[in-house]
Amino acid sequence: MSTTATQPQASDTTAPTGRAMRTARKRKNRKMNPWGVVAWIAAIGFFFPVFWMVLTAFKQEADAYSDPPKLFFTPTLDQFRAVFETGVGTALLNSAFATVVSTALVLLLGVPAAFALSLRPVKKTQDVLFFFISTKMLPIVAAIIPLYVIVANIGLLDNIWALIILYTAMNLPIAVWMMRSFFLEVPGELLEAASMDGASLWTSVRELILPLVSPGIAATALICVIFSWNEFFFAVNLTAVQAQTIPVFLVGFITGEGLYWARLSAAATMAALPVVLAGWLAQNKLVRGLSFGAIK
């Protein structure tokens, strides 16, 4: 009798305690984390220059030079029309062609190389990896003179294919290192099981391995696209008019007559838009690729 009488009393005392703990936990979660505030401030600080660039692109030059700056104005598309009249389309096409072709070549060469250094390692793998990454240690300034002489001798000055070759060589080491890390997260037993079932190596790679590392391929491709699209040093030294890319085109707005802030902001907005759209479209693959293997 005493036991049965005390059991409900014990349950009554523990139930409010559980509810109180949940309530306290909810109140704690509702409190603003100071590090969250710092993260928001940092994010706004990084994003504000981009926001101001886009805002200035819709101003007239007089409004762009006003002091104090105007936050309220009549938007206009005159600056974008002026940029199109100066021939930005050719520069955009050159950048797009060089970026797409060089990224495709990097993946075509880098994915098999990374596979050979991970799931099918070759002799002296570490030496091969060091050779790949050592090519990134040479300053570009130190290599531009011999590169210029070579490009001039083979007749590729002011030719978009010279940039494609250089962009491929520039991004290939990074792609091999990134893809190798993704391939290392794939269990080697998958290939063994596929071979025991009679699948060839190419069939196993095409139907089993590549779908698993597709987020890593997307992340690698996006990194190569960003590096190729934003590259300036090779383009400004090896091109003039026909193979001019968008970073070189933007420099043309800085003249001795003055800076055209609104028109330069419009051109910079158009130059940044393709990369932003590519990152937005591939954001799911990019997040999965960058976190590939982080959680087992």
Side-chain angles (χ1 to χ4, degrees):
M1 293 295 292
S2 61
T3 305
T4 56
T6 57
Q7 287 179 350
Q9 185 177 359
S11 61
D12 292 339
T13 56
T14 56
T17 303
R19 287 196 297 269
M21 292 177 62
R22 289 193 294 270
T23 303
R25 191 179 298 112
K26 290 180 180 179
R27 290 177 179 175
K28 183 178 179 181
N29 292 335
R30 289 174 184 172
K31 292 181 179 179
M32 183 63 70
N33 189 352
W35 289 110
V37 176
V38 173
W40 272 105
I41 294 175
I44 293 174
F46 279 107
F47 177 74
F48 182 77
V50 179
F51 167 76
W52 192 256
M53 176 189 72
V54 176
L55 195 67
T56 306
F58 292 93
K59 294 181 179 180
Q60 296 289 353
E61 290 294 343
D63 295 332
Y65 272 101
S66 63
D67 188 17
K70 287 186 178 180
L71 294 177
F72 301 99
F73 57 93
T74 303
T76 179
L77 296 177
D78 292 344
Q79 308 305 329
F80 291 95
R81 297 191 190 98
V83 171
F84 272 108
E85 291 175 358
T86 56
V88 68
T90 303
L92 286 172
L93 289 177
N94 287 335
S95 290
F97 184 73
T99 299
V100 171
V101 175
S102 64
T103 301
L105 290 175
V106 166
L107 295 179
L108 186 64
L109 299 174
V111 172
F115 176 80
L117 295 172
S118 56
L119 297 180
R120 285 291 184 267
V122 297
K123 293 182 179 180
K124 298 183 178 181
T125 299
Q126 296 301 323
D127 295 341
V128 175
L129 291 173
F130 177 77
F131 170 75
F132 273 115
I133 203 64
S134 64
T135 59
K136 302 294 295 181
M137 300 177 185
L138 180 66
I140 301 179
V141 177
I144 189 61
I145 294 179
L147 285 176
Y148 184 90
V149 173
I150 293 173
V151 172
N153 289 335
I154 61 179
L156 289 181
L157 278 179
D158 200 14
N159 192 310
I160 196 64
W161 284 102
L163 296 182
I164 291 174
I165 296 172
L166 291 174
Y167 292 171
T168 303
M170 176 182 70
N171 293 326
L172 187 58
I174 300 174
V176 171
W177 274 78
M178 288 185 63
M179 287 306 305
R180 180 177 179 270
S181 64
F182 297 131
F183 277 122
L184 288 176
E185 299 296 335
V186 178
E189 291 79 5
L190 291 177
L191 282 177
E192 296 178 1
S195 62
M196 292 179 63
D197 291 338
S200 62
L201 179 60
W202 170 241
T203 302
S204 302
V205 172
R206 186 182 70 249
E207 298 182 1
L208 188 63
I209 303 299
L210 289 183
L212 289 176
V213 299
S214 59
I217 296 177
T220 304
L222 185 58
I223 295 296
C224 294
V225 166
I226 293 174
F227 286 170
S228 299
W229 186 270
N230 296 331
E231 200 282 323
F232 174 76
F233 192 78
F234 286 143
V236 76
N237 285 283
L238 301 178
T239 65
V241 178
Q242 297 180 1
Q244 186 182 59
T245 58
I246 194 65
V248 181
F249 177 81
L250 293 178
V251 179
F253 287 92
I254 304 175
T255 63
E257 301 175 356
L259 297 178
Y260 297 92
W261 287 111
R263 192 174 301 180
L264 179 60
S265 298
T269 301
M270 296 173 59
L273 189 60
V275 179
V276 173
L277 290 177
W280 180 71
L281 293 175
Q283 59 180 334
N284 293 331
K285 291 284 188 180
L286 179 62
V287 173
R288 289 179 57 197
L290 295 179
S291 61
F292 192 82
I295 301 176
K296 293 293 185 180

